[in-house]
Amino acid sequence: MDVIEYSLGSQRKAEVYINRLFAYFLDPEQPHGMDEEFLRAFLDGLPDTCGFGEDTYDLSDVVVDDQVRLTERAGGDIESSGFVDLSVQVPNEWFLLVELKFSAEDTQTEFYRRDVTHIDGTPKTDYESAAYYLYLHQADRPEANDPEFSNWTWTSFLDAVLTDFIVENAPRYPQRTVVQLYEFIDDIRSITGMSDPTDNVDEKVALYLNHYEAIADVTATFEDQWETFSHNWQARLANRLASAELGSIQSEDEYHVRFECSNDAVGDWWFRATSADWGMLFKNGWWRHTDDLTDVLHDRPDDHNDARIGFHHRLENDRENAIRDRTLTLYFRNMGANDQSFIDAVCERFDERAEAIDAALPGTASRTGNKRNLLSAEYDIVPDEHDDFFAAYVAALERGVCDLIVENPELIGILDDIYTDAVTDVYSSDVHIP
């Protein structure tokens, strides 16, 4: 509080403090020890009305600032200006403007969205991907004046993001950061007038501190097991499928397994575990070098000139869902690193075949409407029915592979056609997928 101007009233001081602390937690560059994790939880937890559709796996280029100047310019002259509370952006790609409200009425959102031409001196038109707007306010206050601002209450933010994030991640962070996060909850509740007599934050903090060594030991053990699993799931899945006589392992190295399905109609598949997050499953032929489309790949070329589609599960990004909700999500993805023209072509062909795709999908899966993760399917992880949590995870993954791949030649045939048609459209080259 020493850095806050004391000419401000006490309410305004608290609002400025909340604003600056919020920006501090969101910024991966700050010394809180959470790296990108709180920022990722915040972005993944945004309300659906915000429409946020950016990939949160790699947030290394994200810039977080508070009190960012927004200007309306005409002919190089500044016509008017204001300061938005928070800005989260990837320069030249996308931005999220967040207005934090505690007591005052909204007077600025229409200006921020409709009239502003520059964000901290950078033209809005430089952002090629998308623009997002969020209005965080008290439940009993009017919503944002501008309809493009997504409305989110402080209560919903605490319930959907902050409280669960602290409970699930606190043992991994420095104690000072954990205490700050708990105090952040108290400050928000205090300034917004919220009260919940059943939520005894002080007792939770004391409980955590009293059992810190035990919590840290258990957490470290699980983290080690999770790290091992993130690099061997592909072998465990292939062995389980082979044991069920659903195919056979053709080749295997530290990171890849080539698996031949017993159903000839769906061909050979690669299971790839080179990332602690992205678990890839793709058909042999769905990954090619754009300079020579006869060159079938199963690993990233040095020049990154490739065109690929495939299924994947997110070990790190979806870990909370797997551990807390016991749910595995398997996605079919139009890869974000593809040329934009290829991404668009795959989406166009996918939409054209929507009716046939719906007919081929199992009840666990659905089309998402997203241009990258085009399909998603959910499966229960049931540790009580297996030796441990990780065996249950692989079993859930096996059910997904059976539903969407091994026992679904209709769906795979459609996806084959989408891929080859998109290659022809964009690269004027005919390719054949076995």
Side-chain angles (χ1 to χ4, degrees), residues 153-192:
T153 67
W154 286 105
T155 302
S156 297
F157 164 68
L158 293 186
D159 292 343
V161 176
L162 186 53
T163 303
D164 287 345
F165 179 84
I166 297 174
V167 172
E168 293 170 17
N169 296 285
R172 300 190 291 118
Y173 299 144
Q175 287 194 30
R176 180 173 182 271
T177 295
V178 173
V179 173
Q180 285 179 321
L181 287 168
Y182 275 115
E183 289 178 346
F184 189 40
I185 288 182
D186 284 346
D187 292 338
I188 291 173
R189 290 190 182 282
S190 175
I191 196 172
T192 58

Side-chain angles (χ1 to χ4, degrees), residues 213-364:
E213 290 187 4
I215 293 171
D217 180 56
V218 170
T219 301
T221 300
F222 183 82
E223 291 292 336
D224 288 343
Q225 292 299 307
W226 183 272
E227 175 70 16
T228 299
F229 179 69
S230 69
H231 294 296
N232 71 16
W233 67 265
Q234 79 285 6
R236 297 181 64 166
L237 172 63
N239 287 325
R240 186 176 176 90
L241 291 168
S243 297
E245 299 183 349
L246 296 172
S248 59
I249 297 172
Q250 298 299 300
S251 65
E252 185 174 2
D253 62 29
E254 185 178 1
Y255 299 110
H256 301 86
V257 172
R258 181 167 179 168
F259 188 83
E260 180 185 12
C261 294
S262 56
N263 186 344
D264 292 338
V266 298
D268 285 9
W269 286 74
W270 289 96
F271 305 153
R272 181 171 185 261
T274 58
S275 166
D277 186 18
W278 295 80
M280 306 301 302
L281 308 93
F282 55 93
K283 188 173 180 179
N284 189 48
W286 280 2
W287 192 349
R288 297 171 186 261
H289 199 295
T290 56
D291 293 342
D292 178 8
L293 289 159
T294 64
D295 186 9
V296 176
L297 306 173
H298 68 273
D299 210 347
R300 200 77 196 271
D302 292 338
D303 58 11
H304 289 191
N305 292 335
D306 49 11
R308 57 179 172 141
I309 59 173
F311 292 94
H312 72 275
H313 57 113
R314 299 288 301 275
L315 289 109
E316 190 61 38
N317 190 73
D318 290 351
R319 182 162 76 159
E320 180 176 326
N321 295 335
I323 297 173
R324 182 192 65 191
D325 301 332
R326 301 290 197 269
T327 300
L328 166 74
T329 304
L330 191 59
Y331 306 90
F332 173 73
R333 185 167 177 84
N334 183 8
M335 300 303 173
N338 292 335
D339 293 336
Q340 187 60 51
S341 56
F342 187 74
I343 291 174
D344 295 339
V346 170
C347 288
E348 182 177 350
R349 294 290 186 174
F350 187 89
D351 291 341
E352 290 172 356
R353 303 294 298 276
E355 186 174 342
I357 291 170
D358 287 342
L361 289 179
T364 55

Side-chain angles (χ1 to χ4, degrees), residues 99-162:
E99 186 70 357
L100 311 178
K101 285 295 180 183
F102 298 93
S103 57
E105 303 297 330
D106 173 34
T107 59
Q108 292 286 75
T109 56
E110 286 185 348
F111 168 71
Y112 292 159
R113 202 270 308 174
R114 182 187 59 194
D115 300 325
V116 163
T117 59
H118 290 69
I119 300 173
D120 201 20
T122 301
K124 269 188 179 181
T125 53
D126 284 4
Y127 296 87
E128 298 179 356
S129 177
Y132 306 98
Y133 301 91
L134 180 68
Y135 188 73
L136 253 171
H137 63 101
Q138 288 178 254
D140 59 348
R141 295 289 176 179
E143 297 181 343
N145 290 333
D146 187 272
E148 295 299 319
F149 267 78
S150 176
N151 293 283
W152 204 19
T153 67
W154 286 105
T155 302
S156 297
F157 164 68
L158 293 186
D159 292 343
V161 176
L162 186 53

Side-chain angles (χ1 to χ4, degrees), residues 8-57:
L8 296 170
S10 59
Q11 173 81 358
R12 181 58 182 149
K13 286 182 195 176
E15 292 175 6
V16 172
Y17 172 70
I18 290 289
N19 188 79
R20 293 181 178 178
L21 190 57
F22 205 165
Y24 169 79
F25 287 141
L26 290 173
D27 189 349
E29 299 298 319
Q30 296 295 335
H32 43 56
M34 297 185 292
D35 298 323
E36 303 168 357
E37 293 184 13
F38 182 67
L39 174 61
R40 182 176 291 109
F42 172 71
L43 294 176
D44 289 343
L46 289 171
D48 292 341
T49 52
C50 194
F52 188 81
E54 307 301 324
D55 196 335
T56 60
Y57 170 60

